[in-house]
DNA sequence: CTATAGACCTGACGGC
DNA sequence: TGCCGTCAGGTCTATA
């Protein structure tokens, strides 16, 4: 599932194909993919334009165009940008085909049709996003001030793109596991030490996954067709029934706000005062379990 | 304003 | 072998 590390990888790997190239032709084979524009608006906004920059913002891939407009691409669940030489069969589930001046084709492949491409003017769509979690401005203090304002559950709060941009379901689970924070804790209930630990965990998890070129769960493929291998390093995500790598406990899967959530019930304790009650932690764990 | 459930989509997979 | 229910989750929309 494309989250920040996958989108970062796709952005970096599509860039050499498109940067400085003129867009010669555009075909929309599934109109729903571009439904933020009319098909005509989408095509006319791209045709004849040179790509002057390619960057990532949150989970968006942003192509800056010579007419001052931007092409925003969101891969959502199953989207992929595929670069292929002309004359090769388009990939299955292709929704948009972009032909570059050198004949290279960029396809938007998306089996489940959740993904979107849109040509926009201005910054509105990107300005709604929260800070980038890997930028130096995103300090532990910034994370704490964001989460302290929220009374909801920590897991869905981390997924709110207007608060922090780029974290998705898999990496939220991984970060909470690394920081030993239960996904059902209230976002504003962490100790100062826990906010710092979570901050370190978020940056470590995301940076490590970028080095591994993203996680090839489900449909994620890189523009040249290669897979990522970040999922091999996952400690909890999609590992139901396996044993915790820290304590050996069986990992659990629960549903939080409709999302599959993986965690270690022994390492990630729900009780806020667990540190002060180490001697009773065993009984606390059991009572927390039975409440759920 | 905040918080949350449901909708959108369809392939993969397991059980029978 | 083949059918069918369940699962996967990013984000928009509607509702309390």
């Amino acid at each position: 599932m494309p989250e920040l590390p996958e989108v970062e990888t796709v952005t970096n790997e599509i860039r050499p194909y498109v940067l400085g190239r003129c867009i010669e032709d555009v075909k929309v084979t599934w109109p729903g993919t571009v439904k933020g524009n009319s098909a005509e608006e989408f095509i006319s906004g791209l045709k004849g334009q040179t790509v002057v920059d390619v960057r990532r913002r949150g989970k968006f891939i942003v192509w800056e165009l010579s007419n001052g407009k931007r092409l925003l691409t969101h891969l959502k669940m199953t989207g992929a940008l595929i670069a292929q030489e002309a004359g090769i069969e388009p990939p299955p589930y292709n929704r948009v085909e972009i032909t570059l001046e050198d004949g290279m084709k960029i396809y938007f492949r998306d089996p489940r049709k959740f993904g979107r491409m849109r040509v926009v003017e201005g910054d509105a769509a990107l300005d709604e996003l929260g800070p980038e979690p890997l930028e130096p401005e995103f300090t532990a203090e910034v994370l704490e001030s964001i989460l302290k304002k929220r009374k909801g559950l920590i897991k869905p709060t981390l997924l709110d793109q207007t608060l922090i941009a780029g974290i998705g379901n898999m990496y939220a689970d991984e970060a909470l596991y690394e920081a030993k924070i239960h996904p059902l804790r209230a976002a504003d209930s962490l100790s100062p030490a826990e906010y710092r630990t979570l901050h370190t965990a978020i940056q470590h998890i995301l940076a490590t996954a970028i080095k591994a070129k993203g996680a090839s769960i489900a449909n994620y493929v890189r523009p040249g067709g290669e897979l990522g291998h970040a999922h091999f390093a996952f400690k909890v995500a999609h590992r139901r029934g396996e044993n915790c790598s820290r304590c050996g406990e069986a990992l659990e899967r629960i549903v939080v706000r409709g999302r599959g959530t993986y965690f270690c019930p022994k390492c990630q304790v729900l009780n806020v005062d667990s540190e002060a009650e180490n001697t009773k932690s065993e009984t606390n764990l059991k009572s927390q379990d039975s409440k759920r």
Side-chain angles (χ1 to χ4, degrees):
Chain A
M1 320 296 163
E3 303 178 24
L4 188 153
E6 290 74 30
V7 179
E8 177 80 13
T9 302
V10 171
T11 301
N12 288 336
E13 296 188 357
I14 203 71
R15 185 180 295 113
Y17 293 106
V18 303
L19 189 62
R21 306 270 152 69
C22 183
I23 295 170
E24 236 161 49
D25 198 15
V26 179
K27 289 199 183 86
V28 176
T29 53
W30 177 257
T33 297
V34 302
K35 73 179 184 186
N37 300 122
S38 69
E40 301 74 42
E41 189 183 3
F42 179 77
I43 293 168
S44 68
L46 292 175
K47 246 185 180 176
Q49 302 309 312
T50 299
V51 181
V52 298
D53 191 21
V54 181
R55 62 197 174 89
R56 180 191 61 75
R57 175 74 176 102
K59 296 174 194 169
F60 287 95
I61 302 160
V62 184
W63 298 15
E64 303 283 354
L65 304 171
S66 49
N67 58 4
K69 296 183 180 181
R70 305 194 163 101
L71 170 62
L72 304 185
T73 299
H74 201 302
L75 304 174
K76 292 282 182 81
M77 304 284 297
T78 57
L81 291 180
I82 310 283
Q84 281 184 191
E85 303 279 352
I88 302 174
E89 190 82 354
Y93 313 110
N94 178 48
R95 308 304 180 197
V96 175
E97 173 185 323
I98 294 172
T99 307
L100 300 167
E101 60 181 315
D102 58 0
M104 201 69 178
K105 305 272 193 183
I106 308 298
Y107 295 100
F108 189 63
R109 178 189 115 94
D110 186 24
R112 289 176 63 181
K113 301 177 176 172
F114 279 2
R116 292 288 178 264
M117 278 184 156
R118 187 157 57 116
V119 176
V120 298
E121 295 182 74
D123 293 316
L126 300 178
D127 281 351
E128 292 167 4
L129 298 172
E132 287 289 329
L134 290 178
E135 290 298 311
E137 297 79 38
F138 185 75
T139 60
E141 291 70 30
V142 168
L143 176 66
E144 177 168 355
S145 75
I146 290 169
L147 296 180
K148 274 286 185 197
K149 293 179 191 132
R150 294 288 161 151
K151 299 187 187 308
L153 306 177
I154 184 75
K155 162 85 186 269
T157 302
L158 290 177
L159 301 180
D160 186 334
Q161 301 298 296
T162 68
L163 301 179
I164 306 167
I167 299 175
N169 202 45
M170 302 182 301
Y171 295 106
D173 282 356
E174 290 296 317
L176 288 172
Y177 171 83
E178 183 168 308
K180 300 186 183 178
I181 295 168
H182 193 290
L184 298 178
R185 293 273 299 278
D188 64 356
S189 73
L190 276 55
S191 72
E194 284 176 322
Y195 286 114
R196 287 195 296 275
T197 307
L198 180 59
H199 173 262
T200 304
I202 288 170
Q203 294 199 327
H204 173 243
I205 290 291
L206 294 176
T208 303
I210 289 172
K211 283 188 192 131
K213 309 293 183 188
S216 280
I217 300 278
N219 294 264
Y220 170 70
V221 193
R222 290 152 57 195
E226 309 92 334
L227 300 178
H229 42 278
H231 52 297
F232 296 123
F234 282 177
K235 297 290 207 310
V236 282
H238 297 269
R239 294 194 181 277
R240 170 167 39 174
E242 296 185 31
N243 294 326
C244 173
S245 58
R246 277 192 300 243
C247 74
E249 188 79 3
L251 301 176
E252 283 185 14
R253 177 187 174 276
I254 56 176
V255 176
V256 180
R257 287 271 299 281
R259 298 289 164 255
T261 298
Y262 299 84
F263 70 107
C264 171
K266 196 168 172 187
C267 291
Q268 293 163 271
V269 183
L270 191 51
N271 182 0
V272 180
D273 301 322
S274 61
E275 282 178 47
E277 299 186 27
N278 272 339
T279 53
K280 296 196 292 182
S281 62
E282 201 69 19
T283 47
N284 283 342
L285 259 175
K286 289 202 173 96
S287 66
Q288 294 294 352
D289 279 352
S290 58
K291 266 196 281 186
R292 294 277 149 207

